[in-house]
Amino acid sequence: MRTPRITAHDVARRAGVSQPTVSLVLSGNPRARVAEQTRERVFKAARELGYRPNLVARGLVSQRSFGLGVVVPNLDNPFFTEVVSGAERVAAASGYAVMLCDTRQTSAARHIESLRARLIDGVILDPGGAAAVPPELLAGLNVVVVDATDGDLPGVSSDVIGTGRLAAEHLLGLGHRRLGYIGPATDSRVFRLRERGFVVALRAGGVSIPSPWLRRVPPTLAGGAAAMRELLSLADRPTAVFCGNDLAALGALKACHKAGVRVPDGISVVGCDDIEMARVVTPELTTVRVPARGLGARAARMLLGLIEGTPQRPGAPLPVELVVRGTTARAPEAA
Amino acid sequence: MRTPRITAHDVARRAGVSQPTVSLVLSGNPRARVAEQTRERVFKAARELGYRPNLVARGLVSQRSFGLGVVVPNLDNPFFTEVVSGAERVAAASGYAVMLCDTRQTSAARHIESLRARLIDGVILDPGGAAAVPPELLAGLNVVVVDATDGDLPGVSSDVIGTGRLAAEHLLGLGHRRLGYIGPATDSRVFRLRERGFVVALRAGGVSIPSPWLRRVPPTLAGGAAAMRELLSLADRPTAVFCGNDLAALGALKACHKAGVRVPDGISVVGCDDIEMARVVTPELTTVRVPARGLGARAARMLLGLIEGTPQRPGAPLPVELVVRGTTARAPEAA
DNA sequence: TTGTAAGCGTTATCAT
DNA sequence: ATGATAACGCTTACAA
């Protein structure tokens, strides 16, 4: 930064007014009663000098950073990437910076500490992150949880239970009665609720999942593949499987291909999320679409509301939607 | 922020010293000659109070933000997501925040202006972003260009020409002589150089690309699909195609499946980048691996070096690597 | 070795 | 309507 920044003082000198007057005029403060003429002189001088207020100085006095923290568990998961993308869009449009934090290397708690030291205006967390941070660290901080499943903190959510239900109804409707579930081993409420929705809707259809068909694995390609491999090695297999997220579903698909089991003829697979990758495989993945970008955008909007004192109502959970593509077909035996 | 923050002043009072002494002790300034006893008292008080220095205040005096800007053209492209992920890792480890900016909605220039107003310590840009920002906006700013192709600004790079060359050599080695190229229409030097590497290596093998087989489309799934559709509709088709990035290659693959053309029997396809999706399709995509995460990490390290006055040498371009998987096979006719 | 004083660029509260 | 003046919390001389 060789070039010395232009300050409000410089503008003031050029406009022939005092520095605070410049601040008054430029901050657009409504209750700023300045003569129209002075006002114009200030604007002119500011424009000519290319003045940009120093946000750090402004932050020091107003005790904020004009920034939003976005803390995600894993930037390599396209779902969170979309959340971030949605949040960034909204934040940038309102002049807020997005400080991005991945908790794989640095814990959510440490990230929060660091963000607080920066006087962050608010933070978007996923439920896992929220759970990993001691409540006192969050005290007095504007927080919005994305895809929240309980009411401890303000949050935006999608119809989490609905994901499982839609998957169940779809599969049941196709005549499947022998169903499996591949879900994360993480103690995440989101995944638990997806599972719950699935199981409950199944039960309503008179179907239950035998425990060998219920596989708990990490919500990754590798996890899904491993789970499906095990399922396929069973003498007695399900005819359809619901996966807690698309990454696992894609991994499961892969395992099927490797094992020479055709999808959907040999087995039906339903994912959850509808990440972009769901459409690159062949056949394309049938999945339940969760509006990740929408969640991110909505979380950011809610956070901005909290920050600027115009709180939004939580609003109904964002709807999820079954997207039937190529990995599901009628059950082989009409049960 | 209901809770009043603990300041260095509070610590000073509790330790029975003056506030600047606290600063001296805690900032770890080596040339701070403080009595061991005082030092301990300060540490103790700070610990007991849970003191965290206010980075905004610190930033105001030192004219910086302890933050890195990362400006990418498209967060939905997994390649850039990986770059960001690599940069975030390094930045966080050094106590820097990452301010993430996507240029789809807000131009790179505007992002840079905003970042400057925040006294950003440095910025990571992609070549396209760098080109889109007026040089005077970058003046005096620490900038590192990721996957840079010229020397205007400090940058880290991969062996861009090598990507095309490796693809060409691989295909030539498989006996292909009828080759096509699907590349972005963007005026990006990176893509131009990938193409150049491909074309030059082909020429060395006595092969050239007839213009109908050279398709310029956006570097996206849809772009790649459209290009491949056109290629397949030609009476006279290439036996193999190199795509400027994996997204386009994946789209091309999709178009082949839809058209009933088997890969690699009917046509061979090579991508570039090696994004995670490359391994979820079946057959898996043969591609040239570009270390996106490594580029991001290296860019961040270089930027930190610039910032902290310990500049790194640019270093050799990061090597790229041909990853032979399932979408390439020997040419049908041994030419 | 440590405390005092000044200043970073704003905003906000006064007088004038 | 506008100009001094005082914070905001910190770092960095400079005194003591």
Side-chain angles (χ1 to χ4, degrees), chain B residues 256-315:
Chain B
C256 290
H257 290 141
K258 284 226 177 96
V261 174
R262 303 204 34 190
V263 176
D265 312 318
I267 192 166
S268 285
V269 174
V270 177
C272 189
D273 281 349
D274 195 19
I275 59 181
E276 190 173 30
M277 290 194 221
R279 264 162 304 138
V280 322
V281 293
T282 303
E284 298 183 356
L285 181 66
T286 292
T287 190
V288 181
R289 151 146 257 276
V290 178
R293 184 178 322 274
L295 282 171
R298 193 155 162 177
R301 271 192 291 267
M302 172 171 265
L303 197 47
L304 292 178
L306 252 29
I307 291 165
E308 298 177 348
T310 54
Q312 320 281 302
R313 267 182 315 294

XYZ file of all heavy atoms in Angstrom, chain B residues 256-315:
435
model
N -22.583 -37.941 -25.252
C -22.299 -39.224 -25.900
C -23.297 -40.278 -25.451
O -23.876 -41.006 -26.260
C -20.885 -39.688 -25.561
S -19.596 -38.693 -26.323
N -23.492 -40.372 -24.146
C -24.441 -41.352 -23.626
C -25.810 -41.146 -24.232
O -26.449 -42.084 -24.686
C -24.545 -41.233 -22.098
C -23.323 -41.696 -21.377
N -22.822 -41.054 -20.260
C -22.481 -42.729 -21.625
C -21.746 -41.688 -19.848
N -21.504 -42.696 -20.651
N -26.227 -39.903 -24.270
C -27.556 -39.595 -24.798
C -27.677 -39.987 -26.266
O -28.719 -40.429 -26.718
C -27.845 -38.092 -24.650
C -28.197 -37.676 -23.225
C -29.418 -36.744 -23.203
C -29.822 -36.392 -21.783
N -29.239 -35.096 -21.346
N -26.562 -39.813 -26.977
C -26.592 -40.106 -28.412
C -26.336 -41.586 -28.677
O -26.296 -42.030 -29.819
C -25.549 -39.254 -29.125
N -26.128 -42.328 -27.600
C -25.893 -43.759 -27.774
C -24.498 -44.088 -28.285
O -24.249 -45.175 -28.785
N -23.601 -43.120 -28.155
C -22.220 -43.382 -28.571
C -21.443 -43.845 -27.352
O -21.396 -43.151 -26.344
C -21.577 -42.105 -29.140
C -20.096 -42.332 -29.424
C -22.311 -41.658 -30.387
N -20.848 -44.999 -27.420
C -20.152 -45.517 -26.249
C -18.762 -44.925 -26.105
O -18.059 -44.707 -27.082
C -20.067 -47.045 -26.329
C -21.483 -47.639 -26.448
C -21.566 -49.044 -25.965
N -20.686 -49.335 -24.843
C -20.479 -50.565 -24.395
N -21.071 -51.580 -24.983
N -19.687 -50.777 -23.373
N -18.449 -44.651 -24.870
C -17.125 -44.122 -24.549
C -16.414 -45.170 -23.704
O -17.021 -45.680 -22.747
C -17.249 -42.812 -23.753
C -15.874 -42.297 -23.336
C -17.992 -41.748 -24.559
N -15.212 -45.570 -24.035
C -14.339 -45.004 -25.056
C -14.389 -45.723 -26.400
O -13.648 -45.344 -27.302
C -12.954 -45.217 -24.425
C -13.092 -46.511 -23.693
C -14.515 -46.564 -23.212
N -15.243 -46.742 -26.556
C -15.224 -47.493 -27.807
C -15.554 -46.625 -29.011
O -14.865 -46.638 -30.018
C -16.223 -48.655 -27.719
C -16.052 -49.437 -26.423
O -14.883 -49.672 -26.048
O -17.069 -49.761 -25.778
N -16.623 -45.861 -28.880
C -17.035 -45.028 -29.999
C -16.187 -43.780 -30.131
O -15.890 -43.318 -31.232
N -15.792 -43.243 -29.016
C -14.987 -42.026 -29.034
C -14.259 -41.902 -27.700
O -14.780 -42.322 -26.661
C -15.890 -40.782 -29.293
C -15.033 -39.547 -29.603
C -16.819 -40.509 -28.105
C -15.855 -38.398 -30.194
N -13.045 -41.403 -27.763
C -12.276 -41.204 -26.536
C -12.411 -39.757 -26.085
O -12.511 -38.849 -26.911
C -10.791 -41.512 -26.770
O -10.575 -42.907 -26.841
N -12.431 -39.549 -24.764
C -12.558 -38.193 -24.230
C -11.520 -37.976 -23.129
O -11.351 -38.820 -22.248
C -13.973 -37.966 -23.656
C -14.056 -36.597 -22.968
C -15.032 -38.070 -24.749
N -10.847 -36.849 -23.212
C -9.884 -36.479 -22.164
C -10.301 -35.128 -21.595
O -10.618 -34.202 -22.339
C -8.452 -36.365 -22.725
C -7.483 -35.911 -21.627
C -8.000 -37.686 -23.309
N -10.312 -35.034 -20.289
C -10.656 -33.773 -19.644
C -9.430 -33.063 -19.116
O -8.294 -33.435 -19.421
N -9.664 -32.058 -18.327
C -8.560 -31.329 -17.731
C -9.010 -30.689 -16.417
O -10.033 -29.984 -16.402
C -8.070 -30.250 -18.691
S -6.548 -29.466 -18.155
N -8.268 -30.957 -15.367
C -8.477 -30.421 -14.005
C -8.425 -31.539 -12.972
O -7.772 -31.446 -11.952
C -9.818 -29.691 -13.801
C -9.820 -28.282 -14.359
O -8.726 -27.799 -14.718
O -10.898 -27.677 -14.456
N -9.170 -32.608 -13.265
C -9.366 -33.697 -12.319
C -10.127 -33.236 -11.088
O -9.639 -33.315 -9.956
C -8.054 -34.364 -11.900
C -8.315 -35.709 -11.220
O -9.421 -36.253 -11.416
O -7.440 -36.188 -10.498
N -11.323 -32.761 -11.335
C -12.219 -32.449 -10.213
C -12.807 -33.757 -9.698
O -12.721 -34.784 -10.358
C -13.342 -31.482 -10.656
C -14.167 -32.088 -11.785
C -12.741 -30.141 -11.081
C -15.285 -31.174 -12.277
N -13.375 -33.704 -8.522
C -13.868 -34.927 -7.899
C -14.888 -35.655 -8.784
O -14.922 -36.871 -8.846
C -14.501 -34.599 -6.546
C -14.822 -35.842 -5.734
C -15.304 -35.505 -4.325
O -15.910 -34.436 -4.140
O -15.061 -36.322 -3.416
N -15.711 -34.871 -9.452
C -16.729 -35.457 -10.317
C -16.144 -36.378 -11.375
O -16.846 -37.246 -11.888
C -17.481 -34.356 -11.066
C -18.387 -33.515 -10.227
S -19.477 -32.577 -11.332
C -19.497 -30.997 -10.506
N -14.875 -36.162 -11.705
C -14.271 -36.963 -12.760
C -14.292 -38.438 -12.397
O -14.268 -39.306 -13.259
C -12.830 -36.498 -13.017
N -14.344 -38.720 -11.121
C -14.331 -40.113 -10.700
C -15.713 -40.670 -10.387
O -15.841 -41.829 -10.046
C -13.405 -40.289 -9.485
C -12.000 -40.753 -9.891
C -11.029 -40.493 -8.774
N -11.089 -39.077 -8.438
C -11.073 -38.602 -7.196
N -10.990 -39.412 -6.176
N -11.122 -37.303 -7.002
N -16.736 -39.829 -10.473
C -18.054 -40.385 -10.156
C -18.752 -40.929 -11.396
O -19.664 -41.735 -11.292
C -18.984 -39.398 -9.399
C -18.205 -38.577 -8.399
C -19.756 -38.521 -10.339
N -18.312 -40.498 -12.566
C -18.956 -41.014 -13.768
C -18.403 -42.390 -14.119
O -17.337 -42.783 -13.664
C -18.756 -40.060 -14.965
C -19.496 -38.756 -14.723
C -17.278 -39.798 -15.214
N -19.165 -43.096 -14.920
C -18.723 -44.408 -15.367
C -18.806 -44.446 -16.880
O -19.870 -44.150 -17.424
C -19.612 -45.532 -14.808
O -19.612 -45.433 -13.387
C -19.093 -46.894 -15.230
N -17.756 -44.751 -17.579
C -16.424 -44.983 -17.017
C -15.836 -43.688 -16.467
O -16.256 -42.608 -16.864
C -15.621 -45.469 -18.218
C -16.313 -44.881 -19.402
C -17.772 -44.850 -19.033
N -14.867 -43.831 -15.574
C -14.261 -42.646 -14.984
C -13.488 -41.864 -16.046
O -12.949 -42.444 -16.979
C -13.328 -43.064 -13.839
C -14.087 -43.762 -12.720
C -13.200 -44.118 -11.530
O -11.976 -43.878 -11.623
O -13.737 -44.622 -10.530
N -13.474 -40.572 -15.861
C -12.873 -39.694 -16.860
C -11.345 -39.705 -16.855
O -10.703 -39.496 -15.830
C -13.360 -38.261 -16.614
C -12.873 -37.176 -17.575
C -13.425 -37.399 -18.983
C -13.265 -35.796 -17.058
N -10.793 -39.959 -18.027
C -9.355 -39.767 -18.196
C -9.128 -38.265 -18.267
O -9.817 -37.562 -19.008
C -8.871 -40.414 -19.503
O -8.983 -41.828 -19.395
C -7.424 -40.047 -19.773
N -8.192 -37.773 -17.503
C -8.037 -36.324 -17.462
C -6.617 -35.932 -17.098
O -5.796 -36.776 -16.751
C -9.046 -35.717 -16.451
O -9.060 -34.301 -16.578
C -8.671 -36.078 -15.027
N -6.332 -34.661 -17.232
C -5.022 -34.166 -16.821
C -5.223 -33.429 -15.508
O -5.969 -32.455 -15.441
C -4.412 -33.210 -17.865
C -3.035 -32.738 -17.404
C -4.331 -33.887 -19.220
N -4.576 -33.936 -14.498
C -4.793 -33.392 -13.157
C -4.054 -32.065 -12.963
O -2.849 -31.955 -13.154
C -4.327 -34.437 -12.148
C -3.821 -33.958 -10.824
C -4.165 -34.937 -9.722
N -5.284 -34.398 -8.993
C -5.135 -33.506 -8.013
N -3.942 -33.112 -7.653
N -6.182 -33.015 -7.412
N -4.810 -31.053 -12.605
C -4.223 -29.766 -12.264
C -4.447 -29.582 -10.760
O -5.578 -29.677 -10.298
C -4.904 -28.618 -13.032
C -4.313 -27.272 -12.640
C -4.782 -28.837 -14.535
N -3.382 -29.366 -10.012
C -3.518 -29.341 -8.554
C -4.155 -28.052 -8.051
O -3.463 -27.150 -7.565
C -2.068 -29.472 -8.076
C -1.246 -28.870 -9.171
C -1.994 -29.144 -10.450
N -5.460 -27.978 -8.141
C -6.178 -26.754 -7.786
C -5.946 -26.367 -6.328
O -5.634 -25.223 -6.009
C -7.669 -26.924 -8.044
N -6.086 -27.338 -5.461
C -5.913 -27.047 -4.043
C -4.482 -26.566 -3.772
O -4.251 -25.623 -3.034
C -6.208 -28.294 -3.216
C -6.142 -28.090 -1.709
C -6.515 -29.385 -1.010
N -7.587 -30.035 -1.751
C -8.864 -29.762 -1.576
N -9.236 -28.896 -0.675
N -9.774 -30.378 -2.300
N -3.542 -27.229 -4.451
C -2.144 -26.843 -4.300
C -1.913 -25.430 -4.805
O -1.169 -24.654 -4.197
N -2.552 -25.086 -5.897
C -2.417 -23.730 -6.433
C -2.929 -22.713 -5.427
O -2.302 -21.677 -5.176
C -3.185 -23.586 -7.746
C -2.522 -24.159 -8.997
C -3.492 -24.136 -10.170
C -1.266 -23.359 -9.338
N -4.084 -23.023 -4.848
C -4.673 -22.106 -3.870
C -3.772 -21.951 -2.655
O -3.529 -20.833 -2.178
N -3.274 -23.072 -2.180
C -2.415 -23.042 -0.995
C -1.146 -22.264 -1.286
O -0.707 -21.414 -0.512
C -2.080 -24.467 -0.567
N -0.571 -22.538 -2.450
C 0.680 -21.883 -2.804
C 0.467 -20.390 -3.006
O 1.311 -19.572 -2.634
C 1.205 -22.517 -4.083
C 2.610 -22.174 -4.383
C 3.193 -23.280 -5.241
N 4.402 -22.824 -5.913
C 5.141 -23.629 -6.672
N 4.785 -24.892 -6.817
N 6.219 -23.172 -7.254
N -0.649 -20.046 -3.596
C -0.958 -18.630 -3.798
C -1.049 -17.934 -2.443
O -0.519 -16.841 -2.247
C -2.265 -18.471 -4.566
N -1.715 -18.589 -1.513
C -1.860 -17.992 -0.188
C -0.495 -17.848 0.489
O -0.190 -16.817 1.087
C -2.789 -18.844 0.673
N 0.321 -18.865 0.366
C 1.650 -18.787 0.984
C 2.461 -17.660 0.370
O 3.149 -16.914 1.063
C 2.381 -20.119 0.827
C 2.104 -21.087 1.978
C 3.064 -22.264 1.951
N 2.794 -23.120 0.797
C 1.990 -24.175 0.818
N 1.373 -24.511 1.944
N 1.803 -24.894 -0.263
N 2.372 -17.553 -0.946
C 3.132 -16.502 -1.607
C 2.630 -15.124 -1.171
O 3.412 -14.204 -0.917
C 3.010 -16.644 -3.116
C 3.611 -15.495 -3.888
S 3.664 -15.843 -5.651
C 5.319 -16.483 -5.800
N 1.336 -15.020 -1.049
C 0.736 -13.755 -0.638
C 1.184 -13.405 0.785
O 1.559 -12.267 1.078
C -0.781 -13.877 -0.713
C -1.584 -12.584 -0.705
C -0.999 -11.577 -1.674
C -3.030 -12.875 -1.052
N 1.171 -14.388 1.654
C 1.600 -14.147 3.028
C 3.059 -13.698 3.045
O 3.446 -12.829 3.816
C 1.423 -15.413 3.871
C -0.038 -15.807 4.110
C -0.123 -17.100 4.905
C -0.777 -14.691 4.840
N 3.843 -14.291 2.161
C 5.242 -13.893 2.069
C 5.358 -12.431 1.673
O 6.121 -11.665 2.260
N 4.585 -12.055 0.684
C 4.588 -10.665 0.223
C 4.185 -9.735 1.366
O 4.795 -8.685 1.596
C 3.558 -10.523 -0.903
C 4.030 -10.334 -2.343
C 5.371 -10.969 -2.605
C 2.975 -10.859 -3.311
N 3.172 -10.110 2.073
C 2.627 -9.285 3.142
C 3.616 -9.133 4.288
O 3.838 -8.037 4.801
C 1.321 -9.912 3.680
C 0.225 -9.824 2.635
C 0.893 -9.219 4.973
C -0.971 -10.709 2.923
N 4.198 -10.244 4.650
C 5.065 -10.217 5.819
C 6.517 -9.935 5.478
O 7.411 -10.105 6.304
C 4.882 -11.523 6.606
C 3.435 -11.627 7.091
C 3.117 -12.917 7.837
O 3.944 -13.849 7.798
O 2.036 -12.970 8.452
N 6.718 -9.510 4.241
C 8.057 -9.081 3.868
C 9.068 -10.196 3.724
O 10.268 -9.983 3.788
N 8.578 -11.419 3.523
C 9.486 -12.527 3.280
C 9.089 -13.203 1.979
O 8.652 -14.338 1.970
C 9.410 -13.564 4.415
O 8.020 -13.955 4.560
C 9.882 -12.999 5.718
N 9.246 -12.443 0.891
C 8.757 -12.910 -0.403
C 9.324 -14.284 -0.773
O 10.487 -14.563 -0.532
C 9.245 -11.849 -1.383
C 9.932 -10.804 -0.601
C 9.956 -11.185 0.825
N 8.481 -15.100 -1.332
C 8.904 -16.418 -1.803
C 9.338 -16.271 -3.253
O 8.846 -15.419 -3.958
C 7.712 -17.382 -1.775
C 6.825 -17.227 -0.586
C 7.419 -17.897 0.610
O 7.672 -19.074 0.577
N 7.689 -17.141 1.668
N 10.218 -17.126 -3.662
C 10.489 -17.168 -5.088
C 9.277 -17.827 -5.743
O 8.630 -18.683 -5.138
C 11.737 -17.999 -5.363
C 13.027 -17.171 -5.430
C 14.217 -18.060 -5.747
N 14.219 -19.278 -4.954
C 14.372 -19.310 -3.628
N 14.544 -18.179 -2.958
N 14.362 -20.447 -2.968
N 8.983 -17.404 -6.959
C 7.811 -17.964 -7.643
C 7.835 -19.494 -7.655
O 6.831 -20.144 -7.430
C 7.936 -17.410 -9.065
C 8.748 -16.166 -8.924
C 9.668 -16.382 -7.745
N 9.004 -20.066 -7.891
C 9.064 -21.520 -7.931
C 8.587 -22.039 -9.270
O 7.916 -21.332 -10.021
